[in-house]
Amino acid sequence: MGLTNYLEVNINIKVEYSTMSLQKRLLSVILIITFIFFILLIRIFTLQVIQSQNLQIKAIDQWVRMLPLSANRGKILDNNGNILAISYTTYDLYFRSREIKNPVEVATYISNLLDLDFQKVYQKAMNTSVSENLVKLQLDESVASTILQKNFDGVYFSENIKRFYPYNNSLSQVLGYLTIDSEGQTGIESYYNNILKGTDGKYLTQSDVRGIKLNSSLNYYTEAIDGIDIKLNIDINIQLILENVLNQIVIDHNPKSVSAIVMDPNTSKIIALAISPNFDLNEVPRDDVSTLLTLSKNTTISDIYEPGSTFKIFTLACALSEGLTNENEHFYCPGYRIVDGEKIKCWKTTGHGDQTLIEAIQNSCNCCFMDLGLRIGKEKFYDYLELFGLGSKTGVDASGESSGLLLDENIVKNVDLVRIAFGQTVAVTQLQLLNSFCSIINGGTLNTPSFLDAYSEKNQSLYINNTTKKNRTVSSEISNKICELLVQSLSKTGDMSFIEGYKIAGKTGTAQKYGENGAISQGKYVSSFFGFINQDGANYALLLCVDEPSSGAYYGSVVAKPYAKTIFEEIIKYKNIKPFDSSINYKDFIVPNFINMDLNYAMQILEKENLYYEVDGEGDKVVWQFPKENTEVTRSTTILLKTN
Amino acid sequence: MAKKYNFDFLTLKNNSKEGKIIFFVTIFLVLFGVVMVYSASYYFARRTYNNQYFYLIKQLIGFILGFFFLNVLRNIDYNKLKKFGLISVIVSAILLILVFIPELGVENYGARRWINLPGFTLQPSEIAKFSFVLFASQYLSKNYKEIKNFKNLLPILIAGTIFCLLIILEPNMSITMCVGLIMLFMLFVGGISFKHFLLFCIPIIILVPILIIIEPYRLDRLLAFINPWVNPQGEGYQLIQSFFSISNGGLFGVGLFNSRQKYLFLPFAESDFIFAVIGEEFGLVGCILLLSIYFVLIVCGIKIAIKSKNRFGAYLASGIIGVIVIQTTINIAVVTGLIPPTGLPLPFISMGSTSIVVFMSAIGVLLNIDKQNNESIILFKTDKNFFSIKKVKAVTQNN
């Protein structure tokens, strides 16, 4: 058997020599194919198993189209529910012309509904060269939903959310503005951005390469959660009163800037805060970044200034608390004090002469307060300043707050101490100053000032911003006494009120400004007025600061006090606050001409008329007066005279 | 002998086991292709022709025609084809020239590859591949004894070169490559010396860079192949989309009709890149099965070649299998990013009626070779199995 096979094989190989070769080569072809197929499988394995996940991540990007669903930003309301900021949605109409099945029908309907030219709409519906054709911008929701109900293929809307501020320029620094991406940039919009903005939703759809939605069940949808409405302590009516008066100050005195804060002294709730110049929140000047930065800054919180005479209230509070003086004490002012060999002048260089404490407060006599400062001593004084919260942030709900500037206690010498006592070589923010004053007049509690009152979600009250009491500053007796002194000091004679029938207290301040080199800037002042009313359940504290008035007048009693009076009058009218004694008449006075008049004679006239006046200069002839001749003023107006 | 030529339409009683396997595998692949073409194309067809069955119908017509030709050729003695060797080469060459006549040729994607005939388009290059195989088989079987002589190789080389030149002018780099490789394959199987074989490889190695330089788009494609992520929206797009498609399949695939990439992301999803859709819908398991099926077809085909009763049959069967092997390998290698992208259909599966009819016809011829192997007296018993020869040798040596 074996032999025959062997022979057969040999015969065959001899006869068909290349048949063997063919077999061999075909079998080697099978080996090569096996090898190649093996390589192909390794490659497929690599793609489908090893690299699968990485490739999938990239692929999902093109398979899924994400449509953002924007959350409505919460409203900002004033304390009475007036809308200060509100968001609404507009709809931009687009055609994805490739998807439009009946361009004529679509174009006819759209052009009729929106009163557009049929030809133009039709052309857009037919223009398949671009993927999206804009048809109309900013449609209302009602119009958009009408069109959407028709269920046209290829007709799309893009949502745009607009923020609207009904009071335009009002509260521009307080409310702040949004970036173009609808994120709060400044003010309340920024500070409470997370509460206001809500959470955007998402709509993920499967689409083909052109973005056409597929009929697939794999659509993914998360609802947008609207932002929360917040209610501020702001009363827009008082805000408007403030802003009107500020505008008047700008007209009368052309200052660099002017600002005012109205606060509830018992709770430190900020009821109004106005700064001029301001800007229209509905037309934010985004092109001019530096101007916008200046205009949008809440300078009452972020900028510090030297307060001047208003600061004397702290000195008074310290001295009274420590029992270092009383109402009946007499102070003599020769026009200066010599402290550690240095002559420090009173603002009235001719001197106030002999005066009681009340008169010294009325006269805002620096000498008196220098004496008080020295009596208190720097350690005690600094302890008190710390209690009043000076030199540290108030913790107001706004960003960019400054803490003010106190000289380091260790380097304070007596000459510095006496200057601090009348409001120099110390810097505060306006809000800080007002808040600290409030602690003196409210019975001695220092609070944290606040803009926010409460916020609610779907009419359910969630959070109420309770005032945070920080510490006690003065006793209630001292507080009462200071209030009384300030009420008295506001009228020249002590019994005539600032506004007749109303118990209003206050203190003016005039501070020289320092340039960048630390030297006094000639002719640059900050004139201010701090005042408050506590009557008939109404409790308002006001700080008004006029920065660099340029009308010639700069005393707080001229540039700030009369306007503060207007503010209080308007608030009284708005809040219908009842006077103590309505029988007192309101007498007006027409200012005569004092120019070129002998100073003593002019003073006689003014004293006879019971008018409050201030004299600037050391000569004996009047060369300038404010208000001008024939101006009708109230009895509480300060007449300013300048001598040669 | 008369019985041998009985026209049996569906019965495969005269076919060997291998022949039966090939028949059913072919029918399976083509029908699977019809389903896959539909799956890959229905979205595109719905958007483009407003008829999601557009390509399904075309492919079914291709299947019916192909099935008809398969059965006809299965019942025609393949030896009769011998005399058509030269004629078919000439006819194919003429058809390839006709492509360039504006009235007849159809230009698509910047290439003239189709002839417009009433009712359908014909791709002559598909026919040319098999014409060349027929011619080469006929020539090699006649001249096998002197095949080691270089002079005797010239007719094959000339025919192959003419085809390559005509196809590259369309231009169609991939089928040119395919014809070139078939030429090498036929020469290798035909028993040429390894020295000559290596010599023929050299011009191909030289020609490839030249062709790339002539048409700059090929260089871009080559660069895109090396790193498709450089320009994912441009040159690299096709390959990246193919990767996305295959990788989406994972182990078991996303399931029939569930491909994401067919939503116009993957260009030529129903034709040259259908393997990517198969990979996506059936995963690694599906790919392994499909490659196994092709492998079974190839091995059965080669077995038929080995068992052939004459040289012409052996060469013809090898050539037919060679075309299938080369085209399948190139197609999958392109789709998986192993070689630079070229447009070459996956045999039996890709969209294209010419391709289907031609491949099914070729299988018909293969089945006839198989049929005759069984019907006629086997001249060389030991040809049946190479391994048995070795075994016999071993036995005799032991003795």
Side-chain angles (χ1 to χ4, degrees):
Chain A
M1 274 295 285
L3 187 69
T4 49
N5 272 340
Y6 180 72
L7 285 172
E8 224 177 73
V9 169
N10 274 320
I11 289 160
N12 282 319
I13 288 167
K14 273 175 190 163
V15 172
E16 288 287 340
Y17 165 72
S18 26
T19 315
M20 275 304 294
S21 156
L22 175 67
Q23 287 180 357
K24 273 184 192 168
R25 290 197 174 188
L26 284 176
L27 287 165
S28 63
V29 163
I30 290 186
L31 287 178
I32 293 166
I33 293 166
T34 312
F35 177 69
I36 291 171
F37 271 36
F38 186 66
I39 291 173
L40 291 179
L41 279 176
I42 289 173
R43 178 63 185 162
I44 294 166
F45 178 81
T46 311
L47 284 174
Q48 293 193 312
V49 179
I50 296 167
Q51 297 181 352
S52 179
Q53 213 156 359
N54 284 337
L55 288 166
Q56 286 310 285
I57 291 164
K58 289 174 180 146
I60 282 167
D61 267 357
Q62 67 175 23
W63 293 340
V64 175
R65 188 152 283 219
M66 194 191 83
L67 302 169
L69 301 172
S70 359
N72 271 324
R73 197 176 172 86
K75 291 195 278 283
I76 302 177
L77 306 167
D78 89 339
N79 208 34
N80 301 318
N82 295 306
I83 292 165
L84 303 178
I86 187 167
S87 288
Y88 63 94
T89 313
T90 62
Y91 297 83
D92 297 343
L93 175 63
Y94 286 92
F95 285 160
R96 283 194 192 145
S97 308
R98 286 183 195 133
E99 295 175 40
I100 293 179
K101 289 197 178 126
N102 191 342
V104 179
E105 189 196 344
V106 171
T108 313
Y109 181 80
I110 300 279
S111 59
N112 283 340
L113 187 76
L114 303 179
D115 201 21
L116 297 168
D117 180 40
F118 171 80
Q119 275 305 323
K120 278 183 186 160
V121 178
Y122 181 70
Q123 272 167 21
K124 282 174 182 166
M126 293 295 287
N127 181 9
T128 51
S129 60
V130 288
S131 62
E132 281 177 349
N133 290 289
L134 175 66
V135 184
K136 184 106 171 85
L137 282 171
Q138 298 199 4
L139 295 170
D140 294 345
E141 194 175 344
S142 61
V143 179
S145 65
T146 314
I147 296 171
L148 275 178
Q149 273 162 19
K150 299 290 284 183
N151 247 332
F152 289 126
D153 282 319
V155 175
Y156 286 87
F157 289 97
S158 80
E159 278 190 346
N160 280 302
I161 293 188
K162 286 253 158 166
R163 192 75 164 159
F164 177 64
Y165 302 89
Y167 294 94
N168 301 313
N169 289 52
S170 277
L171 287 162
S172 51
Q173 297 89 353
V174 173
L175 297 177
Y177 63 95
L178 302 182
T179 63
I180 36 177
D181 306 320
S182 290
E183 294 285 326
Q185 177 77 9
T186 57
I188 296 291
E189 294 276 30
S190 160
Y191 196 85
Y192 291 110
N193 189 46
N194 287 339
I195 294 170
L196 288 166
K197 77 172 177 188
T199 313
D200 284 348
K202 264 185 256 187
Y203 186 46
L204 297 177
T205 57
Q206 303 251 353
S207 70
D208 76 1
V209 75
R210 295 177 189 157
I212 296 169
K213 204 180 122 191
L214 302 178
N215 297 325
S216 145
S217 56
L218 289 161
N219 293 334
Y220 173 78
Y221 176 80
T222 40
E223 208 177 336
I225 300 161
D226 285 347
I228 295 166
D229 296 348
I230 64 172
K231 192 163 95 173
L232 302 183
N233 292 318
I234 298 285
D235 184 327
I236 190 66
N237 291 308
I238 296 178
Q239 176 74 23
L240 292 173
I241 290 169
L242 225 52
E243 283 171 2
N244 281 334
V245 173
L246 295 198
N247 287 342
Q248 192 57 48
I249 295 173
V250 171
I251 293 165
D252 292 347
H253 299 288
N254 191 29
K256 191 177 153 200
S257 77
V258 52
S259 51
I261 310 168
V262 174
M263 192 182 258
D264 181 336
N266 292 328
T267 58
S268 285
K269 288 181 173 181
I270 298 162
I271 291 162
L273 195 157
I275 300 166
S276 178
N278 51 28
F279 64 100
D280 188 348
L281 286 170
N282 292 319
E283 276 167 50
V284 179
R286 294 183 203 274
D287 300 335
D288 189 347
V289 179
S290 66
T291 307
L292 180 58
L293 220 64
T294 315
L295 290 180
S296 62
K297 192 161 77 168
N298 191 340
T299 50
T300 63
I301 290 169
S302 63
D303 287 9
I304 56 171
Y305 81 115
E306 201 173 60
S309 301
T310 49
F311 200 81
K312 289 169 183 163
I313 296 170
F314 292 122
T315 314
L316 180 66
C318 297
L320 288 172
S321 293
E322 292 297 311
L324 299 172
T325 186
N326 59 64
E327 299 99 304
N328 304 318
E329 192 184 346
H330 282 254
F331 292 88
Y332 181 77
C333 170
Y336 62 90
R337 277 280 190 280
I338 290 173
V339 180
D340 288 352
E342 194 179 327
K343 185 177 172 184
I344 299 169
K345 282 190 237 175
C346 182
W347 65 269
K348 189 178 178 184
T349 45
T350 52
H352 291 101
D354 181 58
Q355 51 195 339
T356 62
L357 180 64
I358 299 170
E359 284 167 335
I361 298 166
Q362 275 173 8
N363 294 333
S364 197
C365 174
N366 289 356
C367 294
C368 162
F369 285 93
M370 283 193 253
D371 293 350
L372 294 180
L374 284 171
R375 280 185 215 170
I376 299 162
K378 77 171 178 185
E379 286 82 13
K380 268 265 142 55
F381 201 38
Y382 263 72
D383 288 348
Y384 272 97
L385 294 183
E386 198 185 317
L387 267 185
F388 290 128
L390 297 166
S392 56
K393 292 180 180 179
T394 63
V396 67
D397 47 352
S399 33
E401 191 186 6
S402 300
S403 52
L405 210 66
L406 288 179
L407 278 182
D408 185 60
E409 196 181 333
N410 298 321
I411 62 158
V412 170
K413 299 196 180 83
N414 279 340
V415 284
D416 302 313
L417 180 64
V418 296
R419 285 200 172 95
I420 294 170
F422 61 82
Q424 283 179 11
T425 59
V426 59
V428 294
T429 72
Q430 294 169 33
L431 187 82
Q432 187 183 37
L433 188 71
L434 180 61
N435 192 49
S436 303
F437 284 153
C438 285
S439 82
I440 296 175
I441 61 173
N442 69 8
T445 312
L446 184 71
N447 296 312
T448 304
S450 61
F451 287 108
L452 181 75
D453 179 33
Y455 52 79
S456 59
E457 191 180 28
K458 283 163 189 165
N459 301 326
Q460 275 181 308
S461 200
L462 274 186
Y463 171 82
I464 292 165
N465 190 16
N466 291 314
T467 50
T468 340
K469 286 183 178 142
K470 287 211 282 205
N471 54 268
R472 299 280 303 163
T473 53
V474 291
S475 67
S476 52
E477 296 84 57
I478 298 294
S479 173
N480 286 338
K481 194 178 272 178
I482 292 170
C483 288
E484 209 47 55
L485 286 171
L486 290 176
V487 171
Q488 286 175 28
S489 78
L490 204 55
S491 61
K492 188 176 186 293
T493 52
D495 57 3
M496 197 183 129
S497 316
F498 181 46
I499 299 170
E500 270 135 290
Y502 292 91
K503 197 177 169 186
I504 294 169
K507 179 79 196 78
T508 58
T510 310
Q512 283 182 303
K513 283 184 81 172
Y514 290 83
E516 276 168 25
N517 52 3
I520 289 171
S521 305
Q522 213 57 48
K524 287 188 176 172
Y525 295 88
V526 179
S527 310
S528 58
F529 179 85
F530 160 68
F532 60 93
I533 180 170
N534 182 1
Q535 189 168 332
D536 194 22
N539 234 332
Y540 297 100
L542 166 76
L543 182 70
L544 174 64
C545 288
V546 186
D547 186 15
E548 292 183 30
S550 62
S551 62
Y554 57 85
Y555 281 113
S557 51
V558 178
V559 176
K561 199 173 93 172
Y563 300 97
K565 188 189 164 187
T566 317
I567 292 167
F568 280 117
E569 281 170 348
E570 294 287 330
I571 292 175
I572 288 163
K573 222 186 283 173
Y574 162 60
K575 282 286 168 186
N576 200 17
I577 302 167
K578 291 187 182 66
F580 285 121
D581 186 353
S582 50
S583 66
I584 293 170
N585 281 324
Y586 209 56
K587 279 182 275 175
D588 285 332
F589 175 72
I590 292 162
V591 181
N593 179 31
F594 295 110
I595 293 171
N596 290 329
M597 198 182 272
D598 188 74
L599 178 64
N600 285 332
Y601 184 60
M603 281 158 71
Q604 270 178 26
I605 296 171
L606 287 164
E607 284 186 27
K608 213 173 92 189
E609 291 290 339
N610 243 340
L611 281 160
Y612 189 61
Y613 65 91
E614 276 178 18
V615 180
D616 187 23
E618 286 160 41
D620 51 10
K621 204 158 211 155
V622 179
V623 291
W624 184 86
Q625 72 176 67
F626 187 87
K628 292 190 183 92
E629 188 185 353
N630 291 331
T631 313
E632 198 178 279
V633 295
T634 56
R635 294 271 166 187
S636 56
T637 308
T638 305
I639 309 291
L640 186 79
L641 302 176
K642 237 182 207 170
T643 62
N644 52 355
Chain B
M1 284 300 276
K3 194 185 162 197
K4 196 167 70 181
Y5 296 110
N6 273 354
F7 194 92
D8 75 291
F9 190 69
L10 275 174
T11 57
L12 298 160
K13 62 180 176 194
N14 289 325
N15 280 104
S16 66
K17 194 179 78 192
E18 286 83 20
K20 284 171 182 146
I21 289 171
I22 286 179
F23 178 80
F24 288 116
V25 159
T26 304
I27 302 298
F28 170 79
L29 283 176
V30 175
L31 287 179
F32 176 67
V34 169
V35 175
M36 287 318 295
V37 163
Y38 172 69
S39 172
S41 72
Y42 72 82
Y43 186 77
F44 175 72
R46 193 160 64 203
R47 297 213 74 86
T48 315
Y49 303 103
N50 218 3
N51 174 12
Q52 67 187 62
Y53 306 109
F54 184 83
Y55 289 107
L56 174 74
I57 291 162
K58 279 188 112 177
Q59 196 71 347
L60 272 175
I61 292 169
F63 168 69
I64 292 161
L65 277 173
F67 192 73
F68 171 75
F69 281 110
L70 185 149
N71 278 295
V72 169
L73 285 163
R74 197 162 63 89
N75 290 291
I76 293 173
D77 182 4
Y78 69 92
N79 289 304
K80 287 183 179 173
L81 296 172
K82 226 175 197 172
K83 52 181 175 258
F84 295 111
L86 192 62
I87 296 164
S88 71
V89 166
I90 293 163
V91 169
S92 295
I94 291 167
L95 284 174
L96 284 171
I97 293 163
L98 284 179
V99 168
F100 296 101
I101 297 167
E103 285 75 23
L104 288 167
V106 178
E107 193 171 327
N108 221 339
Y109 306 108
R112 301 190 149 270
R113 296 176 187 174
W114 294 268
I115 292 179
N116 216 347
L117 291 172
F120 68 105
T121 53
L122 185 80
Q123 199 172 349
S125 50
E126 292 281 353
I127 296 166
K129 287 179 292 198
F130 287 105
S131 300
F132 177 79
V133 167
L134 181 62
F135 170 73
S137 306
Q138 174 248 315
Y139 181 83
L140 286 169
S141 62
K142 211 168 74 189
N143 301 294
Y144 70 93
K145 277 171 189 151
E146 291 85 32
I147 210 66
K148 302 279 182 195
N149 187 340
F150 186 79
K151 221 166 52 184
N152 292 319
L153 298 175
L154 281 175
I156 293 178
L157 290 177
I158 290 164
T161 310
I162 288 170
F163 276 10
C164 284
L165 279 175
L166 286 171
I167 298 168
I168 200 71
L169 283 172
E170 286 181 355
N172 193 337
M173 173 91 161
S174 43
I175 294 189
T176 309
M177 222 165 80
C178 195
V179 171
L181 285 171
I182 287 163
M183 190 167 79
L184 284 178
F185 178 86
M186 290 309 289
L187 290 171
F188 175 75
V189 173
I192 63 159
S193 67
F194 284 101
K195 202 171 69 188
H196 289 155
F197 186 76
L198 289 174
L199 194 70
F200 297 142
C201 289
I202 292 165
I204 291 170
I205 292 164
I206 295 167
L207 267 176
V208 167
I210 291 171
L211 288 172
I212 285 170
I213 291 162
I214 290 169
E215 291 275 2
Y217 80 92
R218 291 193 187 116
L219 184 66
D220 289 341
R221 279 195 193 178
L222 190 71
L223 292 174
F225 159 72
I226 292 161
N227 185 1
W229 302 100
V230 169
N231 190 0
Q233 287 305 313
E235 291 298 333
Y237 182 78
Q238 175 83 60
L239 199 54
I240 287 172
Q241 294 306 325
S242 182
F243 287 168
F244 284 167
S245 195
I246 295 170
S247 68
N248 192 30
L251 270 180
F252 300 103
V254 294
L256 185 61
F257 301 129
N258 291 337
S259 157
R260 267 311 266 108
Q261 283 291 90
K262 70 182 167 207
Y263 290 100
L264 317 181
F265 293 106
L266 178 66
F268 305 111
E270 76 288 346
S271 55
D272 299 342
F273 279 79
I274 198 151
F275 186 77
V277 178
I278 295 169
E280 187 178 0
E281 296 192 347
F282 298 102
L284 183 64
V285 172
C287 289
I288 291 171
L289 278 175
L290 186 68
L291 279 176
S292 307
I293 290 167
Y294 273 110
F295 191 74
V296 166
L297 180 85
I298 288 158
V299 170
C300 290
I302 285 173
K303 275 187 173 174
I304 290 170
I306 289 171
K307 287 195 297 185
S308 289
K309 67 173 184 180
N310 61 27
R311 284 190 174 275
F312 176 60
Y315 292 142
L316 194 57
S318 315
I320 289 165
I321 291 303
V323 174
I324 294 169
V325 167
I326 288 163
Q327 221 168 300
T328 306
T329 309
I330 290 178
N331 180 279
I332 296 175
V334 164
V335 169
T336 55
L338 279 172
I339 60 168
T342 58
L344 201 63
L346 185 62
F348 306 112
I349 293 180
S350 279
M351 168 66 211
S353 16
T354 314
S355 172
I356 284 199
V357 170
V358 168
F359 273 102
M360 288 184 85
S361 305
I363 292 295
V365 173
L366 190 63
L367 290 175
N368 183 263
I369 296 168
D370 173 58
K371 206 162 99 178
Q372 294 205 36
N373 289 348
N374 290 347
E375 282 167 354
S376 52
I377 305 146
I378 296 155
L379 289 175
F380 319 111
K381 273 182 187 167
T382 47
D383 281 1
K384 257 197 280 185
N385 199 322
F386 179 77
F387 295 104
S388 72
I389 296 168
K390 271 196 161 175
K391 210 170 131 190
V392 168
K393 261 188 175 172
V395 168
T396 48
Q397 271 165 11
N398 283 343
N399 287 347

